[in-house]
Amino acid sequence: DARVTQTPRHKVTEMGQEVTMRCQPILGHNTVFWYRQTMMQGLELLAYFRNRAPLDDSGMPKDRFSAEMPDATLATLKIQPSEPRDSAVYFCASGLHRGEQYFGPGTRLTVT
Amino acid sequence: DAKTTQPNSMESNEEEPVHLPCNHSTISGTDYIHWYRQLPSQGPEYVIHGLTSNVNNRMASLAIAEDRKSSTLILHRATLRDAAVYYCILEFTNTGNQFYFGTGTSLTVIP
C-alpha cells in the first residue's frame, strides 16, 4: 500500500531557527504539492513541482520559505528564519498529471 | 472571491443518503471538479472527480449540473466513519492544474 511519508511528524522550535520538512512522494508520481493548513486560513497551496521542476510557488512567502526536489524520491520545504505565524500543519501530496492527489500525514510545526 | 461555496456544516443520520452541495459559478469549460475529505487529524483524502458527466465510484457519486455551476457529492449510505470535512475543489487547468481548497462542509453523522 503505497503512501506519501513526511518527516518529522511534529516539530517544536524557537523563533529564528531553521526548519526543514521532508516528503517522500509515492514512487512513480510526477507531481508533488506542498500545502499549509491553519484554523484561520484553511488549506493553502504553497508550491508544486512536476517532474522535479518547480511550476508554481506563488503561495509561498519568498523571503523565508524555499521548496526543492533534490531527486524524485525527496521533496523538502525549508523555513529560515521561522516565525510564530508559521505554526501550522504542513502537508505534502503527490500525484500524476491529473486526478487524485495522495496526501501525507502532515508535519505539525509549532514555532514559539 | 470564493471559487467554491459550500455550507459550513451538515448532519445526517447513519445509513441514510447524504447530498453535499457545492456552487462554483465561475468555473470555466476545462476546469475539473474534485471532492476530497479530511478526517480528524489526517491529511485530505481523494473522494471523486469529474468534468461534465456524472461519476460513480465505490465511495460516492458526483452529480454535475448541466451548466456546471454547481455539483453535489452523494454518499449513498452514511456511516460513522464518513464524519469528516468535505472539500469541493476546482482544478484550474489554465493555471497549471493547481487545487484551491475552500472552507469545506463539516459532516456530522448521527448514530
Side-chain angles (χ1 to χ4, degrees), chain A residues 19-78:
Chain A
V19 175
T20 298
M21 290 169 272
R22 294 177 175 80
C23 167
Q24 183 173 14
I26 293 173
L27 190 64
H29 284 186
N30 65 349
T31 312
V32 173
F33 303 81
W34 282 105
Y35 292 88
R36 173 172 65 183
Q37 186 171 36
T38 61
M39 289 294 293
M40 293 298 295
Q41 300 295 329
L43 268 161
E44 303 172 279
L45 177 67
L46 296 176
Y48 93 104
F49 295 77
R50 182 173 298 143
N51 297 322
R52 295 178 55 203
L55 287 193
D56 186 1
D57 60 2
S58 59
M60 208 162 61
K62 296 292 190 301
D63 56 339
R64 300 183 299 107
F65 284 59
S66 61
E68 296 180 346
M69 279 202 75
D71 61 60
T73 65
L74 177 65
T76 63
L77 180 66
K78 187 176 296 185

Side-chain angles (χ1 to χ4, degrees), chain B residues 23-36:
Chain B
N23 288 319
H24 29 78
S25 59
T26 60
I27 194 171
S28 71
T30 56
D31 295 339
Y32 279 74
I33 301 158
H34 295 261
W35 283 82
Y36 279 67

Side-chain angles (χ1 to χ4, degrees), chain B residues 70-90:
Chain B
S70 66
S71 61
T72 302
L73 178 71
I74 303 165
L75 306 179
H76 296 287
R77 286 182 69 224
T79 70
L80 296 179
R81 290 180 298 177
D82 292 323
V85 178
Y86 285 79
Y87 294 97
C88 168
I89 303 151
L90 295 187

Side-chain angles (χ1 to χ4, degrees), chain B residues 48-67:
Chain B
I48 201 166
H49 78 282
L51 182 61
T52 56
S53 303
N54 294 343
V55 184
N56 299 295
N57 66 21
R58 64 177 179 80
M59 287 183 70
S61 296
L62 175 60
I64 301 173
E66 197 168 330
D67 63 6

